[in-house]
Amino acid sequence: MNLNILKQEFSVCKVEDLSMVHLEADFCFIGKTDEELSLVCATEDVPGNTTARDDGWRAFRIQGSLDFSLIGILSKISSLLAENGISIFALSTYNTDYVLTKAENFSRAVEMLSGAGYVIE
């Protein structure tokens, strides 16, 4: 399985509303519940109406479109990283999954996954 490293640094944020969110940015993940409005975006795109943020995340994408019937892809990656003391923040889109780790753990995460047979691009 191929993993594509994303070049940006990311931030995980809470925002007051979507009025200042740069929806046209290449990466803009929004999650809304009855309790919060969350945003994951490139750090350079963090809006001014952010009420909380955690900077310093790096990410990779599972390359290609994943069929909904596929089982265990994210589980295998997260388990391997967890066994090596690396926590993740996972995001899913219609096509694929994204895995974020803190920047200080990213090189080690890539090394672990590469050693486990993942092709890192």
Side-chain angles (χ1 to χ4, degrees):
M1 176 153 299
N2 294 359
L3 306 176
N4 179 247
I5 293 175
L6 304 179
K7 294 180 174 128
Q8 301 86 336
E9 276 216 4
F10 290 88
S11 296
V12 180
C13 311
K14 281 200 231 181
V15 293
E16 293 175 3
D17 57 48
L18 299 177
S19 64
M20 298 178 77
V21 174
H22 183 48
L23 297 173
E24 293 79 27
D26 286 341
F27 296 96
C28 177
F29 300 93
I30 297 169
K32 182 183 180 306
T33 70
D34 61 334
E35 296 182 338
E36 69 177 298
L37 184 56
S38 293
L39 168 70
V40 178
C41 63
T43 300
E44 64 189 31
D45 292 328
V46 171
N49 63 347
T50 297
T51 60
R53 69 189 273 178
D54 188 19
D55 298 329
W57 293 87
R58 293 285 318 275
F60 58 84
R61 165 182 30 226
I62 299 172
Q63 197 60 34
S65 294
L66 304 178
D67 188 271
F68 288 121
S69 65
L70 296 174
I71 298 169
I73 293 171
L74 191 55
S75 174
K76 288 178 185 175
I77 291 171
S78 63
S79 294
L80 176 64
L81 296 177
E83 290 166 8
N84 288 280
I86 300 172
S87 64
I88 68 164
F89 189 99
L91 296 163
S92 296
T93 65
Y94 189 91
N95 285 344
T96 194
D97 296 320
Y98 294 77
V99 177
L100 291 81
T101 72
K102 290 301 277 187
E104 61 266 19
N105 296 322
F106 192 71
S107 292
R108 195 161 54 94
V110 168
E111 189 177 296
M112 296 293 158
L113 293 166
S114 181
Y118 290 89
V119 175
I120 311 295
E121 302 174 339

